Amino acid sequence: MSLAASNPATASGGKATFYGWRVVAAVFVLATFGWGLGFYGPPVYLHAVHQSRGWSLNVISTAVTVHFLFGAIVIANLPRLYARFGLVRVTKAGSLALAIGVAGWALAQERWQLFIATLFSGGGWVTMGAAAVNAIVAPWFVRNRPAALASAYNGSSIGGVVFSPLWVAAIGLLGFPWAAIVIGLVVVATIWILADLYYAKTPEAMGLHPDGDAPQAAPTTLPISATEPLPKRRAWKDWRLVTLAAGMALGLFAQIGLLAHLFSLLVPALGAQLAGFAAGGATAAAIIGRTVAGWLMPARADRRLFGCANYLIQILGSFAFFFAAGDNVPLLLLGVVLFGAGIGNTTSLPPMIAQAEFAKEDVSRVVPLIVATGQATYAFAPAVFGLVREFAPRSGSAPPGAAPWLFLAAAFIQALAIVAFFVGRPRQPSRDGGTPA
């Protein structure tokens, strides 16, 4: 019998449940709030600020870019912040900063005040984002980490499902300032409670072992884990890190760039209401795709190949959009399903790859670096894809929803992401090789 089953902390209603799964559920909530306010919120804030202040979309769009760029800087420094202040304090402070920042978006009377608010919102939400999810969940799992991370990261997709319409409804009912204050207070209170109850716990402190294994169980090995740590000052000279960061950044750039314009491209053929349902369908496909990959991927699988397959599915989705030519509804819906199926894995697979390829002590450093690189890159994606959409050659007889060069650009960038993942694959060890993660 495992220690998890014999420990009272793991029992619920008389049935043994590894405590790590409770942590995953709490982190699911963290991701829901983090992405709901910090990722899916800014497009709504942009519209609300434009309507209430009359400022140019160019200025407000620049504020959104600053929001994501400053967040990338904070992500890169999360390991130092965790080491100095502790994960719980950083998470609590981040939720408070996010709430203050969103309120600042709503209350800003001058443009400079808006940009100050973006520093709080951008720096706050990333303490509840991808790197934070990995930092909290990773100590609890080795063998089951793909499934655990997939479950926790699904909170990011639910954040879009819940908060995109919630923000619109709350702003319509209460106005932007009060909506921001009320939602911000709920988020801060919830995260502070969960931080004390779950994020502060570690398996070592509770006398548990990763995955709920018994103390005498053999440690789980992964196929291509590094045996030597990365050099502290020259990490970016490591080929595995460079290719992993490049693959994630390219994939996110293509994904965010296409998604930023997808709704408006679907409206001419589907109408606004059906286009909204289609966008929701992409989110549902993302949840399914991430869950399937997380639960079915073997512990010793070559995770880079799974990443390549994920981008290939999205490329097929891009081609479905391309051949739909703006008015073929079945192909448009097929594109939504195929492209959507890879959305979640683009965020969750790279940390799993890092777990398999880097020494245990380096994973907590590598994940923030690749996530920060990805966020700093995709901050510019909507604008770049907008330029492609506006200035690319266009046939005068093409339907309004046709944007062939945009979809080809997405497919090409995703192909580059596949190349980055593939060429960075470490050499496979002998059949008996591998080191514990």
Side-chain angles (χ1 to χ4, degrees):
M1 182 169 64
S2 70
L3 180 61
S6 63
N7 193 308
T10 67
S12 178
K15 182 179 180 180
T17 302
F18 178 47
Y19 194 85
W21 291 110
R22 301 186 186 185
V23 176
V24 168
V27 176
F28 177 95
V29 177
L30 179 79
T32 300
F33 284 157
W35 265 273
L37 273 69
F39 186 83
Y40 294 101
V44 181
Y45 311 155
L46 183 150
H47 178 75
V49 172
H50 179 64
Q51 292 292 317
S52 62
R53 299 287 181 263
W55 297 339
S56 72
L57 289 175
N58 182 51
V59 168
I60 308 173
S61 298
T62 302
V64 174
T65 298
V66 172
H67 164 90
F68 286 117
L69 287 178
F70 186 72
I73 296 173
V74 174
I75 293 172
N77 287 280
L78 273 181
R80 295 187 184 91
L81 294 174
Y82 288 155
R84 181 168 183 178
F85 301 105
L87 185 148
V88 171
R89 289 180 180 175
V90 171
T91 304
K92 286 182 175 181
S95 68
L96 183 60
L98 176 57
I100 292 172
V102 175
W105 278 80
L107 298 171
Q109 299 296 316
E110 302 291 340
R111 292 170 179 81
W112 66 267
Q113 295 172 348
L114 176 64
F115 282 90
I116 294 295
T118 65
L119 301 182
F120 282 88
S121 63
W125 94 270
V126 297
T127 67
M128 303 161 65
V133 168
N134 185 80
I136 299 172
V137 171
W140 291 92
F141 300 90
V142 177
R143 181 180 62 258
N144 293 321
R145 192 179 298 177
L149 284 176
S151 299
Y153 278 127
N154 275 337
S156 64
S157 299
I158 296 300
V161 173
V162 172
F163 275 92
S164 292
L166 176 62
W167 274 118
V168 174
I171 291 172
L173 180 65
L174 303 173
F176 191 17
W178 277 110
I181 292 171
V182 170
I183 292 176
L185 288 175
V186 170
V187 169
V188 170
T190 303
I191 296 305
W192 281 47
I193 292 172
L194 291 178
D196 288 332
L197 291 178
Y198 296 102
Y199 311 151
K201 304 289 177 60
T202 64
E204 292 84 2
M206 298 182 68
L208 302 174
H209 290 258
D211 300 300
D213 289 339
Q216 67 273 18
T220 300
T221 61
L222 295 174
I224 45 180
S225 296
T227 57
E228 296 182 0
L230 287 171
K232 291 185 177 180
R233 302 195 178 193
R234 296 188 298 168
W236 283 109
K237 291 188 176 182
D238 187 278
W239 183 240
R240 295 163 303 156
L241 175 58
V242 170
T243 55
L244 180 57
M248 184 178 189
L250 288 165
L252 284 171
F253 190 90
Q255 181 169 287
I256 301 302
L258 191 152
L259 290 176
H261 297 272
L262 183 59
F263 177 81
S264 64
L265 292 172
L266 293 176
V267 168
L270 303 179
Q273 185 171 6
L274 287 179
F277 280 115
T283 303
I287 295 174
I288 295 172
R290 180 192 282 126
T291 302
V292 168
W295 284 93
L296 297 184
M297 183 169 60
R300 295 179 59 81
D302 186 335
R303 297 176 183 181
R304 285 195 183 237
L305 292 182
F306 271 78
C308 292
N310 183 70
Y311 289 140
L312 179 59
I313 291 172
Q314 289 196 304
I315 289 174
L316 294 177
S318 298
F319 278 117
F321 288 132
F322 174 81
F323 288 112
D327 58 3
N328 188 310
V329 173
L331 281 178
L332 287 174
L333 296 179
L334 178 63
V336 167
V337 172
L338 291 175
F339 194 87
I343 291 175
N345 287 321
T346 302
T347 301
S348 58
L349 274 175
M352 299 180 198
I353 295 171
Q355 178 211 5
E357 293 187 1
F358 293 90
K360 181 179 179 180
E361 58 269 28
D362 287 326
V363 173
S364 61
R365 183 161 58 116
V366 169
V367 171
L369 287 176
I370 62 174
V371 172
T373 302
Q375 182 163 316
T377 303
Y378 76 61
F380 299 97
V384 172
F385 273 70
L387 292 175
V388 172
R389 185 177 175 184
E390 183 174 356
F391 293 108
R394 181 181 178 86
S395 170
S397 60
W405 290 101
L406 183 145
F407 297 124
L408 289 177
F412 176 72
I413 295 171
Q414 286 165 320
L416 293 178
I418 290 177
V419 172
F421 273 0
F422 192 82
V423 301
R425 295 171 66 212
R427 290 181 299 176
Q428 296 289 338
S430 63
R431 181 169 299 180
D432 296 329
T435 56

